[in-house]
Amino acid sequence: MFLLALILSSVGLIETLMTLSLIDEITQTRGQGNRESIAQGSGNILSGLFGGMCGCAMIGQSMVCLNSGGRGRASGIATAIFMLIFILFFPGLIEMIPVASLIGVMFMVVIATFEWSSLRLFGRMPKSEIFIIVVVSAVTVVLDLAVAVGIGMVISALVYAWNSAKEIRVTSEEEADAKIYHLKGNLFFGSITSFKEGFNPHQDPVKTYIDFNHARICDQSGIEAVHGLGERYKALNKTLYLRHLSPESAKLLQKAGDLVEVNIVEGQHTPLAQFAT
């Protein structure tokens, strides 16, 4: 029962927020998603206590109200009052409406609300985006909206991780008796392989610096990659320094504690991490 309730609440919440986003785009306004979600949840709880069914924002009704000139709260309140009157006093009239006609109305709503112009973007959009749209649409039809959105988020996260992993860059320059590596990009589980391939501890001098001015350490895999690189330099009796660490990266290294052999030293307004030999 809990799993079913979670799926239903997710579907309702997602559909409501998507409807709110569409209305904001049409009316050039900005709705309050948190307020809408709390109101919907409170209303559904009260409805359940009185034996009613849960519900969410209705895209069809919203579009009818917008096309009829409704812009304020009065349109939603009037709709609720008239629905209540029909259900309480004229249920026989509602039962006379053929279900087939309601299906036809919903098809017309879908045709009217579908963004047909988005089909022209298929040739211009990245293939990954097209794949996500197709998968989410298919899963929505076969299963439900909540599962489809979850799958879409997972695929989007994997695509982002893949693209971010390809963007990391390692360049170097010689400076007196030291060598400086300039790192650019996010160091996380997807980019550690490219990160490791950019260094050559055997040919580097005793002092080697990694400049994180344009880079960040994002997760535990990034910390392990930095620690492993430091151990390679330490085994060769060399010292690896990390400079210009962002506050977030320095905090991650401090939280790692004994898991990584790094001492954070504040100096010249930029944190400096050192792998001691």
Side-chain angles (χ1 to χ4, degrees), residues 38-57:
I38 293 174
Q40 176 181 299
S42 302
N44 284 334
I45 292 174
L46 291 176
S47 177
L49 293 177
F50 286 94
M53 296 177 63
C54 62
C56 64

Side-chain angles (χ1 to χ4, degrees), residues 199-208 210 225-242 258-263 274-277:
F199 297 88
N200 193 348
H202 293 278
Q203 298 181 1
D204 289 342
V206 176
K207 291 184 178 181
T208 303
I210 303 179
V226 173
H227 176 65
L229 185 62
E231 289 294 322
R232 290 169 60 187
Y233 279 92
K234 182 179 179 180
L236 299 172
N237 293 324
K238 299 178 180 180
T239 307
L240 178 65
Y241 300 90
L242 311 181
D258 297 336
L259 298 178
V260 57
E261 190 178 349
V262 175
N263 297 316
Q274 172 183 352
F275 285 92
T277 57

Side-chain angles (χ1 to χ4, degrees), residues 8-203:
L8 288 176
S9 60
S10 300
V11 171
L13 188 60
I14 292 169
E15 185 172 349
T16 297
L17 296 178
M18 292 175 67
T19 302
L20 180 63
S21 177
L22 176 62
I23 293 176
D24 287 344
E25 184 178 349
I26 295 175
T27 59
Q28 299 297 315
T29 57
R30 182 177 180 181
Q32 299 180 5
N34 293 338
R35 192 173 180 181
E36 185 76 21
S37 302
I38 293 174
Q40 176 181 299
S42 302
N44 284 334
I45 292 174
L46 291 176
S47 177
L49 293 177
F50 286 94
M53 296 177 63
C54 62
C56 64
M58 294 184 288
I59 180 65
Q61 175 189 321
S62 302
M63 292 304 299
V64 170
C65 288
L66 288 175
N67 294 332
S68 301
R71 290 294 186 274
R73 296 184 179 93
S75 59
I77 295 174
T79 302
I81 292 175
F82 279 108
M83 287 182 63
L84 181 63
I85 292 174
F86 274 109
I87 293 173
L88 293 179
F89 302 105
F90 305 104
L93 295 178
I94 298 178
E95 294 175 356
M96 293 173 60
I97 301 176
V99 177
S101 64
L102 298 179
I103 295 175
V105 171
M106 289 307 300
F107 266 110
M108 294 306 299
V109 170
V110 170
I111 293 174
T113 57
F114 187 80
E115 195 71 27
W116 295 101
S117 59
S118 61
L119 297 177
R120 295 180 297 180
L121 300 177
F122 267 37
R124 306 173 187 175
M125 296 171 59
K127 294 181 179 180
S128 58
E129 297 293 330
I130 298 175
F131 176 73
I132 293 173
I133 293 174
V134 173
V135 170
V136 171
S137 301
V139 174
T140 301
V141 174
V142 176
L143 298 177
D144 56 63
L145 183 63
V147 176
V149 171
I151 293 176
M153 292 175 62
V154 172
I155 298 176
S156 297
L158 293 176
V159 171
Y160 173 77
W162 174 262
N163 293 332
S164 298
K166 296 189 297 182
E167 292 178 359
I168 194 166
R169 297 288 184 272
V170 180
T171 58
S172 62
E173 64 175 344
E174 301 288 341
E175 198 174 89
D177 59 343
K179 188 174 183 179
I180 302 176
Y181 287 93
H182 297 277
L183 189 63
K184 184 177 181 180
N186 295 323
L187 184 58
F188 66 110
F189 68 91
S191 60
I192 56 176
T193 301
S194 300
F195 169 77
K196 295 177 180 179
E197 292 175 351
F199 297 88
N200 193 348
H202 293 278
Q203 298 181 1

